Every structure is written in structure tokens, then in C-alpha cells.
């Protein structure tokens, strides 16, 4: 029978790296550009009532509650 655990030297053997030359710049661009949800979460985290609401209802619902509908008079 074989050991179910992988030793440290072989831990990353199953991960395939993308060796194409254009893959590295694309990865950097992907990491630099934030998704819509990340931006909404950061906005919500900066506003304390929104963050408290998010702990109970989630960040998407909290953002919609506080910033989703713009109140105009």
C-alpha cells in the first residue's frame, strides 16, 4: 500500500506552470486589475455601518443596501 501523504519535495509536482512568454505579463495585468466585487468590498469596508451590515448579510447585500441605489432629492 502507498502512503497517502506527499513529501515536501514532490508537493508541487502536479502543478503545471505556463511557460509561454506572454503568460507572465498577462498574469501581472490580471493581478493588477481588480474585479467589480473587490472594488465594492473595499468601498464597503471603508464605511463602518456597511461593514457591520456585511457581517450579517454579506458584502454584496451590504453594498446594495448602502451604495446600490443612489438617493437623489
Amino acid at each position: 500500500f502507498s502512503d497517502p501523504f506527499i513529501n515536501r519535495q514532490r508537493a508541487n509536482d502536479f502543478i503545471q506552470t505556463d511557460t509561454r512568454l506572454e503568460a507572465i505579463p498577462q498574469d501581472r495585468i490580471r493581478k493588477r486589475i481588480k474585479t467589480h466585487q473587490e472594488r465594492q468590498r473595499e468601498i464597503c469596508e471603508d464605511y463602518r455601518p456597511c461593514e457591520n451590515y456585511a457581517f450579517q448579510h454579506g458584502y454584496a447585500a451590504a453594498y446594495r443596501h448602502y451604495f446600490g441605489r443612489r438617493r437623489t432629492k
Side-chain angles (χ1 to χ4, degrees):
F1 107 81
S2 66
D3 188 20
F5 299 103
I6 300 173
N7 66 15
R8 291 181 183 180
Q9 289 78 21
R10 303 279 321 260
N12 291 326
D13 285 353
F14 62 93
I15 296 175
Q16 299 284 329
T17 58
D18 197 349
T19 56
R20 295 176 301 174
L21 292 176
E22 65 269 4
I24 294 170
Q26 286 177 355
D27 188 47
R28 288 186 183 145
I29 290 170
R30 197 177 310 116
K31 288 179 182 175
R32 199 173 1 157
I33 298 172
K34 294 183 180 178
T35 64
H36 186 64
Q37 290 84 2
E38 286 177 309
R39 278 187 258 123
Q40 286 182 350
R41 184 177 179 139
E42 287 180 355
I43 291 168
C44 190
E45 285 175 346
D46 291 340
Y47 185 54
R48 190 69 175 163
C50 183
E51 188 176 23
N52 291 338
Y53 190 90
F55 286 136
Q56 293 183 349
H57 303 283
Y59 279 98
Y63 184 85
R64 275 194 313 272
H65 181 76
Y66 285 98
F67 304 107
R69 55 182 187 268
R70 296 290 176 193
R71 296 179 182 98
T72 57
K73 291 184 178 182

